[in-house]
Amino acid sequence: MQRLYDFIRRHPTGVDTFWAVVLFGFSALWVGTTYPAVGNPVAYGVVAALFSLVVALRRRAPEKMLVLAVALGLVQLGAGLEPFMADFAMLVIIFTVAAHDGPRWGSRLALVGGLCASPLAALRWPITDPSSGPAKVFFIVILIVPFVLAWVLGDSLRTRRAYFAQLEERASRLEREREAQAKVAVAAERARIARELHDVVAHNVSVMVVQADGAAYVMDSSPETAKQALDTISTTGRQALAEMRRLLGILRTGEHQEAGEYVPQPDVEQIEDLVEQVRGAGLTVDFAIEGSPRPLPSGVELTAYRIVQEALTNTRKHGGPDVGASVRLVYFDDGLGLLVEDDGRGAPQEMYEDGGADGRGHGLIGMRERVGMVGGTLDAGPRPGGGFRISALLPLKPAH
């Protein structure tokens, strides 16, 4: 049965042609059984053939077939050809045009034609029985009902089809929007993880390289100092490994046990430990806190930590020998201020002019992105008298 339905859907014109041949056959049979009472059988045959053509092509050219059906109806009225089996094609074409997503004039013409067909036929071939006037009107109304039902069924089918098409289009649009949002979320997550990896690798590996160079330099002359440097390398390496495991664990959905132990996100309180670690790597850092420390949003705390971490890493990379730095944390009523300065030779001019991309990293770009995510402001560039300055203001509440 399913194959039959599939065949009908694939060959609509062939199915309509079959029913057109059936209609013509019944019409010819009616003419043959009522001849010679019907008068001119050739005229009836021509009209039946044209009505059969209307049925055969109803889905290929519905509006044109409707106009042809209306013309055939008028020819019947003018020539005095009484209604017969072929007139059933009028119901078929009215239903087809009402169900077709075509010009609305076609549906209106089909409705008007259906409403007028029965009264015009009653006027052309009046009933001669002694029935009363109301009975004749009732009979005409009864004859109108099939035409109205055909139009209503067709229009309901068109409305239902349009409704389902709208639902499908809406579902498709929502699916596209979900895919776009998912891509945006994935891109944002990748950017966040890239910033985290940059901060972890750039800072910790820089410390390890500096300590390794120092250990190699004093290995023979001061074994104790070299040992301390190796301890710092070991501690820094473990810290970097723990943070990288945490980041990789984010990427391993459902594999948290294999990702290793997670560590908490860095916060403002760990900035002092960060400064001590940098001091142990040989960089002189002055650290001070102004205002009354208080709990901050986790995003603000992580941003503050990463800014200080990146700023001190840049100081070691670009500051030159005998460079010193200072870190200031200022608690305001509505936010947290950061000021990181050094007295070295500073980063190359193009680094801060291009937003932080100096061909070797994207530290300042990452800073600006982090600050922008919490609704803050960042200013980075050379400071008067030499060196480099990074200042940031992180509000407690993101700007609208």
Side-chain angles (χ1 to χ4, degrees):
M1 186 61 68
Q2 185 63 37
R3 292 182 179 179
L4 177 61
Y5 291 154
D6 294 339
F7 177 82
I8 292 174
R9 283 194 294 266
R10 290 195 303 267
H11 304 86
T13 304
V15 175
D16 292 340
T17 301
F18 169 78
W19 289 115
V21 171
V22 172
L23 179 63
F24 181 79
F26 278 105
S27 301
L29 181 62
W30 180 87
V31 172
T33 55
T34 58
Y35 181 78
V38 296
N40 188 354
V42 177
Y44 278 98
V46 173
V47 172
L50 293 177
F51 270 127
S52 300
L53 180 64
V54 169
V55 175
L57 301 180
R58 67 184 184 93
R59 279 188 273 197
R60 294 179 65 92
E63 285 78 19
K64 294 180 181 179
M65 293 301 102
L66 174 64
V67 173
L68 178 59
V70 171
L72 290 175
L74 295 176
V75 168
Q76 274 191 268
L77 292 174
L81 303 177
E82 296 183 2
F84 67 116
M85 294 291 298
D87 292 323
F88 182 78
M90 292 185 178
L91 294 174
V92 176
I93 194 60
I94 288 175
F95 169 81
T96 302
V97 173
H100 179 61
D101 296 326
R104 299 309 300 159
W105 66 263
S107 179
R108 298 188 185 99
L109 178 60
L111 178 61
V112 172
L115 293 175
C116 295
S118 181
L120 290 176
L123 291 175
R124 183 64 178 84
W125 299 281
I127 302 174
T128 57
D129 60 10
S131 302
S132 62
K136 293 180 181 180
V137 173
F138 179 76
F139 182 73
I140 293 174
V141 172
I142 291 299
L143 293 179
I144 291 176
V145 170
F147 295 96
V148 176
L149 285 178
W151 185 89
V152 170
L153 289 175
D155 189 71
S156 300
L157 180 61
R158 179 191 61 80
T159 303
R160 184 180 180 85
R161 189 164 54 240
Y163 174 72
F164 281 119
Q166 184 180 11
L167 290 180
E168 291 178 356
E169 192 276 334
R170 183 181 303 175
S172 178
R173 185 174 66 252
L174 290 176
E175 182 66 23
R176 292 194 299 269
E177 291 178 357
R178 280 195 296 267
E179 292 178 356
Q181 292 173 357
K183 291 180 180 179
V184 171
V186 169
E189 184 67 10
R190 287 178 176 175
R192 187 187 70 81
I193 293 174
R195 289 193 299 269
E196 293 284 338
L197 284 174
H198 172 273
D199 294 337
V200 171
V201 173
H203 172 75
N204 292 296
V205 174
S206 176
V207 171
M208 293 167 66
V209 170
V210 171
Q211 293 293 330
D213 290 342
Y217 182 75
V218 299
M219 180 66 72
D220 297 329
S221 60
S222 179
E224 187 65 27
T225 302
K227 181 181 179 181
Q228 294 178 358
L230 293 176
D231 290 339
T232 302
I233 292 174
S234 176
T235 303
T236 304
R238 287 191 178 93
Q239 179 182 352
L241 182 60
E243 292 198 31
M244 292 188 68
R245 280 178 174 176
R246 175 180 60 82
L247 293 174
L248 294 177
I250 297 175
L251 300 177
R252 287 181 166 183
T253 303
E255 300 180 8
H256 303 306
Q257 295 180 353
E258 297 181 12
E261 295 183 358
Y262 291 136
V263 296
Q265 290 275 23
D267 53 24
V268 173
E269 294 181 357
Q270 296 184 33
I271 292 180
E272 187 172 0
D273 296 335
L274 174 66
V275 171
E276 290 296 330
Q277 183 185 39
V278 173
R279 286 171 178 168
L283 180 64
T284 302
V285 182
D286 180 26
F287 178 66
I289 300 177
E290 301 178 9
S292 300
R294 59 183 180 277
L296 301 173
S298 58
V300 172
E301 295 207 8
L302 177 61
T303 300
Y305 181 90
R306 292 306 187 193
I307 289 176
V308 174
Q309 184 183 54
E310 180 64 28
L312 294 178
T313 300
N314 288 339
T315 297
R316 285 199 305 269
K317 290 170 60 177
H318 306 291
D322 300 327
V323 62
S326 65
V327 178
R328 294 287 184 273
L329 269 67
V330 183
Y331 286 89
F332 298 105
D333 293 337
D334 57 350
L336 175 68
L338 293 173
L339 179 63
V340 184
E341 297 179 305
D342 66 62
D343 55 5
R345 59 171 177 256
Q349 179 78 11
E350 63 271 11
M351 181 174 179
Y352 57 86
E353 286 184 350
D354 296 340
D358 62 349
R360 289 171 290 179
H362 295 79
L364 289 181
I365 292 178
M367 288 187 195
R368 297 185 191 280
E369 291 176 350
R370 288 185 181 278
V371 172
M373 289 176 63
V374 298
T377 58
L378 177 74
D379 183 29
R383 73 185 186 107
F388 203 77
R389 170 186 293 166
I390 294 176
S391 63
L393 179 61
L394 310 178
L396 296 183
K397 296 182 179 180
H400 294 289

